[in-house]
Amino acid sequence: MEPILGIDFGTTNSAVAIFSKGRPVTIPNEFGGQIIPSAVYIADNGDIYVGESAKNVGILHVDSTVLSVKREMGTGVNHFINGKNYTPEMIASFIFETLRKTAEHKSGRGIKKAVVTVPAYYDDKKRQATRKAAQLAGLEVVRIVNEPTAAAMAYGVMSDREGRVLVFDLGGGTFDVSILNIKGGVFEVLATRGDTRLGGNDFDRKIVEVLVERFMDETEIDLRKDKFALQKVYEEAEKAKKTLSDQRIVEIEIPFIAADESGPLHLTTKFTRYEFEELITGYIEKTLRLTKTALRDAKLTPEDIDMFLFVGGSTRIPIVRKNLKNLFNKEPEGSVSPDEVVALGAAVQGAVMSGRIHKIALVDVTPLGLGVEKEGGAMVNMIKRNAVLPTEASAIFTTVQDYQKAVIIHVLQGERPNVSDNISLGSFRLDGIRKASKGVPKIEVKFEIDVSGIVRVSAKDLDTRCEYSVKLDQASGLSEEEISAVITDARVSELEDLQFNSERQGQV
Ligand code: AMP
């Protein structure tokens, strides 16, 4: 049986696992650790370093090192390094390649397939970008699984427990909360909420702001102007944050951080856990709010939760743990390492797909609704959030002008009424509509979300039975210029003669 890797591509760290001898195991890296930093350094000669070595060198080569690339997946942000342009997908592919090679080295065979995890709250663009990064590294992504779901699978399989589980996943860059029911080997996701831009990195930034302010008060030197110094402050801030998970006070000392006419200057200060908690209180409250909303979505109260799991490094922060313990009035499950549990769960799903395990099934939901823009800038929702995957919906569109040859459909992900508050997955233009008076053609547009959360669109002229194959522009892997050309073209066309009547007649 061909092995299928389980990959947790994290903002700060990544891990790879495989199913072996009846259980999932993480594959250690060359230094024996179970996780590798998601850091990439591109040397002047084009050599690429990933992991610990990249993180260590990165401090000296800030411009040639990319940290937290996961935050950029599916965005247009590019990195220009040593005269070459790198998309986030390319940078991420170096991490995937390192993980693949680590696994191949360990198992002594070539590996071509993987289950890859993403934050539950990832939209289609970010999922597509992640899949593309893995493909660039020579891996076929057989399934994308949401991180909290993967964690619950690993936990369920390794502990053999059943019941309602809440997974609270707070990592370096993202926050997710999911509620699952585990029964008879079926892992059913009941609700999921999250924020793709909330995590330990934000907490580090808060500490950095204070350190920079304190140094400026003392020396009138702004460390933000020196990117090497700033990078060092970030590193020390993260270290201090971690120390504050075990101690109530930390002494921060960064020697030779700057200099003035009197000579070298050092940053020396004290930071308490209380001060840290004050700094991050807004973020922590948000995680609690989202947790309560997820419970409401699942029509449950805290008392209905049989167990809760912590995933991600930031759940080591005492105030985070205390809040959740108070909410559920019980202790978290602690049998699986929060750093490895997601990769282990992905390996479990890989084993299901390769036929190594039979008695497990996964039923996941879409975190975000799907819809289209109607005239006037409002969103028409077609697929509701928390719909069980795979799911589909269709609607009938027609023309608003006589002899209109095409329509433009703007696909949106989210659930806010205003178009601008949602994520635009792209616009597509449907050509070749039958020549007819306005309102006569019936064009059925079908939206599908597969088990990996990937969106597909197809359209059919119901009179001619002609099928049109359409794809979402931004998800199609076009270059940024190509994408903007397509969108500009579409907008111009829209102004001229192509409008669509978005009055839905079909059942969603
Ligand atoms: P992950 O994305 O799950 O690898 O989580 C990484 C995040 O967890 C980073 O922001 C780390 O700084 C943070 N982290 C790791 N260990 C600790 C700790 N002991 N206390 C607080 N934060 C931590």
Side-chain angles (χ1 to χ4, degrees):
M1 255 179 271
E2 200 183 345
I4 299 180
L5 290 182
I7 294 183
D8 168 14
F9 165 56
T11 310
T12 326
N13 298 301
S14 294
V16 56
I18 199 140
F19 202 81
S20 168
K21 300 193 183 104
R23 56 193 300 271
V25 283
T26 43
I27 300 171
N29 60 39
E30 56 187 319
F31 307 107
Q34 307 300 323
I35 51 175
I36 66 156
S38 303
V40 174
Y41 162 60
I42 300 168
D44 290 352
N45 64 1
D47 284 354
I48 289 158
Y49 297 78
V50 173
E52 210 64 59
S53 51
K55 198 175 170 188
N56 293 339
V57 178
I59 188 98
L60 300 171
H61 301 274
V62 181
D63 292 334
S64 323
T65 306
V66 184
L67 304 170
S68 307
V69 71
K70 183 173 174 180
R71 285 196 154 194
E72 296 161 0
M73 301 306 283
T75 68
V77 176
N78 278 2
H79 293 271
F80 196 67
I81 301 175
N82 301 331
K84 222 180 136 188
N85 212 31
Y86 294 89
T87 62
E89 287 91 327
M90 287 159 88
I91 301 282
S93 79
F94 302 140
I95 299 170
F96 278 104
E97 193 170 351
T98 302
L99 296 171
R100 175 174 63 78
K101 286 187 174 155
T102 303
E104 287 181 338
H105 182 70
K106 189 80 184 163
S107 66
R109 59 189 293 189
I111 300 179
K112 296 195 182 63
K113 292 184 176 173
V115 169
V116 175
T117 58
V118 297
Y121 235 64
Y122 248 24
D123 62 49
D124 180 70
K125 278 196 266 189
K126 293 177 189 292
R127 285 171 195 261
Q128 298 263 17
T130 307
R131 184 166 70 172
K132 183 165 174 197
Q135 278 166 351
L136 289 173
L139 284 166
E140 180 199 342
V141 178
V142 293
R143 174 115 181 218
I144 294 174
V145 178
N146 295 328
E147 286 161 11
T149 308
M153 286 185 87
Y155 172 75
V157 166
M158 294 168 90
S159 72
D160 227 7
R161 282 189 62 188
E162 299 206 325
R164 291 202 191 96
V165 190
L166 182 136
V167 183
F168 185 96
D169 180 354
L170 187 59
T174 55
F175 168 67
D176 278 322
V177 54
S178 289
I179 301 168
L180 292 96
N181 193 23
I182 310 178
K183 198 162 177 230
V186 178
F187 291 76
E188 184 191 5
V189 181
L190 304 176
T192 187
R193 286 271 172 180
D195 187 333
T196 53
R197 300 195 79 81
L198 194 171
N201 292 354
D202 299 298
F203 310 159
D204 301 343
R205 202 183 52 248
K206 284 282 183 189
I207 301 178
V208 167
E209 281 166 13
V210 172
L211 296 183
V212 166
E213 281 300 320
R214 287 186 188 172
F215 193 72
M216 195 136 79
D217 286 348
E218 267 179 36
T219 65
E220 288 178 12
I221 293 174
D222 186 356
L223 292 173
R224 280 172 295 216
K225 294 198 174 124
D226 176 349
K227 58 188 174 197
F228 295 100
L230 194 62
Q231 181 62 28
K232 186 76 191 143
V233 179
Y234 261 98
E235 261 200 16
E236 294 301 320
E238 190 192 3
K239 272 192 210 154
K241 173 188 75 174
K242 289 183 179 174
T243 306
L244 288 176
S245 291
D246 301 318
Q247 293 171 199
R248 294 202 162 268
I249 186 159
V250 60
E251 291 206 22
I252 300 171
E253 277 188 35
I254 317 178
F256 305 103
I257 191 73
D260 63 9
E261 54 287 351
S262 68
L265 296 167
H266 319 297
L267 192 159
T268 314
T269 190
K270 282 193 176 70
F271 212 72
T272 66
R273 186 187 285 174
Y274 180 75
E275 283 173 305
F276 175 58
E277 288 172 355
E278 289 278 292
L279 277 181
I280 62 167
T281 182
Y283 293 117
I284 301 303
E285 276 168 12
K286 184 155 193 203
T287 64
L288 272 182
R289 258 198 324 273
L290 288 167
T291 303
K292 289 176 185 164
T293 317
L295 282 166
R296 260 205 312 279
D297 288 348
K299 300 189 177 55
L300 296 173
T301 63
E303 295 76 46
D304 297 323
I305 298 298
D306 299 307
M307 48 213 150
F308 73 96
L309 275 189
F310 278 135
V311 181
S314 300
T315 58
R316 295 198 175 95
I317 297 171
I319 186 78
V320 172
R321 303 185 81 82
K322 190 171 136 211
N323 281 337
L324 271 269
K325 278 196 249 180
N326 287 347
L327 181 64
F328 294 111
N329 204 15
K330 53 172 80 79
E331 291 293 315
E333 302 301 316
S335 53
V336 193
S337 148
D339 296 327
E340 295 170 53
V341 67
V342 172
L344 293 170
V348 169
Q349 179 60 24
V352 172
M353 300 191 73
S354 65
R356 271 160 216 245
I357 316 182
H358 300 287
K359 53 185 194 314
I360 288 178
L362 171 59
V363 183
D364 216 332
V365 298
T366 175
L368 297 159
L370 194 69
V372 292
E373 175 178 355
K374 73 173 180 184
E375 280 171 290
M379 173 171 173
V380 181
N381 184 268
M382 292 184 57
I383 294 178
K384 290 213 159 52
R385 62 189 321 281
N386 284 332
V388 171
L389 297 178
T391 185
E392 59 176 55
S394 56
I396 312 284
F397 295 87
T398 189
T399 50
V400 290
Q401 308 234 341
D402 291 338
Y403 310 122
Q404 192 175 321
K405 293 200 266 332
V407 290
I408 287 188
I409 310 276
H410 183 195
V411 184
L412 300 161
Q413 207 159 23
E415 61 246 15
R416 310 278 296 276
N418 279 337
V419 165
S420 54
D421 294 332
N422 296 291
I423 300 144
S424 168
L425 295 184
S427 301
F428 68 84
R429 174 184 161 133
L430 195 62
D431 284 303
I433 290 171
R434 184 166 66 94
K435 222 175 163 195
S437 306
K438 66 180 174 189
V440 172
K442 287 196 187 65
I443 304 138
E444 182 188 58
V445 179
K446 191 160 139 195
F447 294 80
E448 293 164 89
I449 310 182
D450 72 9
V451 285
S452 292
I454 301 269
V455 178
R456 284 193 186 84
V457 184
S458 59
K460 189 158 68 181
D461 186 324
L462 291 182
D463 298 321
T464 62
R465 311 304 292 173
C466 260
E467 259 202 81
Y468 307 101
S469 150
V470 284
K471 51 183 180 182
L472 298 175
D473 306 324
Q474 290 174 331
S476 64
L478 299 176
S479 72
E480 281 307 301
E481 288 112 281
E482 284 168 321
I483 290 167
S484 49
V486 173
I487 290 172
T488 311
D489 181 34
R491 284 216 189 97
V492 170
S493 308
E494 204 170 13
L495 287 177
E496 282 166 9
D497 63 344
L498 308 169
Q499 292 168 11
F500 73 90
N501 177 354
S502 60
E503 283 304 311
R504 278 187 306 151
Q505 298 164 16
Q507 177 57 38
V508 177

